[in-house]
């Protein structure tokens, strides 16, 4: 009888431990459809729907497919940004207002990122379509970035297209917009006014030599 008295709590404890371990394993299994913010969602092979940007203890996601971000705050950013457009789109605005994150601490989207505004550190390999682009966050795009207003990136390799402005810190490829600016640029800029680390020119600007960075 005494043995059974001690055996029952042990069995209950072991079952709870197994259940918690199973939950951790299940959270790492790829899902076809997921919502964010959620600490349980880690990997998506399909569609991730972000209804709000994570804050505080950020849990990065990996998406093979479509990442959809519809944070309603993004609706107001374009209007607020237009009131202070020169300062907001200056090269300095991408320097120190956020922390440069390692890739294992960033969302990774292999496919399409479609959102109103992105406020989480993210690497997009494919196509990025943002209405308000990337605000106060470290953004890396390998592919094509398209916006109906402006594109803000720390790094982009590929093509950046926006009617008003394309602004970046490190760019490799093509910028097309009314105003194009990139500090560390290698490629071609097409727009009314273009600035890169080598020169400032209207209509067409270029630089085919990669700049040496001081480490």
């Amino acid at each position: 009888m005494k043995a059974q008295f001690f055996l029952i709590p042990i069995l209950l404890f072991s079952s709870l431990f197994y259940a918690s371990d199973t939950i951790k394993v299940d959270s790492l299994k790829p899902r076809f459809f997921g919502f964010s913010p959620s600490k349980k969602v880690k990997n998506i092979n399909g569609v991730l729907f972000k209804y709000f940007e994570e804050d505080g203890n950020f849990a990065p996601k990996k998406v093979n497919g479509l990442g959809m971000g519809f944070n309603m705050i993004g609706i107001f950013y374009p209007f607020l940004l237009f009131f202070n457009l020169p300062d907001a789109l200056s090269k300095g605005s991408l320097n120190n207002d956020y922390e440069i994150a390692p890739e294992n601490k960033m969302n990774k989207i292999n496919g399409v990122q479609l959102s109103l505004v992105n406020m989480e550190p993210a690497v997009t390999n494919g196509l990025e379509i943002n209405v308000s682009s990337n605000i106060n966050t470290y953004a890396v795009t390998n592919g094509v970035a398209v916006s109906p207003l402006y594109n803000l990136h720390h790094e982009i390799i590929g093509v950046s297209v926006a009617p008003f402005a394309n602004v970046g810190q490190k760019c490799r490829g093509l910028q097309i917009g009314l105003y194009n600016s990139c500090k560390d640029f290698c490629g071609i800029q097409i727009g009314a006014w273009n600035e890169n680390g080598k020169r400032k020119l209207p209509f067409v600007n270029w630089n085919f030599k990669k700049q040496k960075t001081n480490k």
Side-chain angles (χ1 to χ4, degrees):
M1 186 69 181
K2 291 183 179 180
Q4 292 179 349
F5 179 79
F6 288 105
L7 184 60
I8 291 173
I10 292 173
L11 290 173
L12 289 173
F13 178 78
S14 62
S15 63
L16 289 173
F17 180 80
Y18 175 78
S20 63
D21 189 58
T22 303
I23 291 172
K24 292 179 181 179
V25 173
D26 288 341
S27 66
L28 297 177
K29 290 182 179 179
R31 301 184 182 184
F32 179 75
F33 193 82
F35 291 90
S36 181
S38 172
K39 303 299 181 183
K40 295 181 180 180
V41 177
K42 300 291 184 181
N43 300 305
I44 298 291
N45 291 336
V47 180
L48 174 67
F49 184 86
K50 295 194 301 177
Y51 57 91
F52 202 77
E53 308 297 315
E54 289 192 38
D55 193 13
N57 189 16
F58 174 67
K61 312 288 189 296
K62 181 179 180 181
V63 180
N64 296 315
L66 174 62
M68 303 177 67
F70 291 98
N71 184 351
M72 298 309 293
I73 296 177
I75 296 177
F76 303 102
Y77 270 104
F79 304 102
L80 295 174
L81 207 55
F82 272 123
F83 286 105
N84 197 24
L85 194 60
D87 292 335
L89 295 181
S90 67
K91 289 178 285 186
S93 68
L94 294 175
N95 278 334
N96 301 313
D97 58 351
Y98 55 85
E99 180 181 356
I100 296 177
E103 285 200 12
N104 62 343
K105 299 294 184 181
M106 302 172 69
N107 288 331
K108 188 173 184 180
I109 300 175
N110 300 316
V112 179
Q113 180 189 165
L114 176 64
S115 60
L116 294 175
V117 59
N118 176 47
M119 300 177 67
E120 296 175 351
V123 177
T124 302
N125 299 314
L127 174 63
E128 175 192 298
I129 303 176
N130 281 329
V131 174
S132 301
S133 192
N134 304 279
I135 305 296
N136 294 333
T137 192
Y138 185 56
V140 177
T141 296
N142 301 308
V144 179
V146 179
S147 174
L149 296 174
Y150 29 74
N151 285 310
L152 304 177
H153 295 91
H154 190 277
E155 296 183 24
I156 180 167
I157 300 176
V159 180
S160 181
V161 180
F164 290 104
N166 297 289
V167 178
Q169 281 285 8
K170 182 178 179 180
C171 313
R172 302 288 183 265
L174 176 65
Q175 286 184 325
I176 302 176
L178 187 66
Y179 170 72
N180 300 300
S181 174
C182 186
K183 184 177 181 181
D184 182 359
F185 185 79
C186 182
I188 298 175
Q189 298 171 307
I190 301 175
W193 187 251
N194 309 289
E195 300 180 1
N196 58 47
K198 189 174 183 179
R199 65 174 72 86
K200 300 177 182 180
L201 284 176
F203 308 125
V204 179
N205 199 358
W206 66 93
N207 184 19
F208 297 116
K209 293 183 179 180
K210 294 182 181 180
Q211 297 179 358
K212 294 182 180 179
T213 57
N214 296 323
K215 295 184 179 180

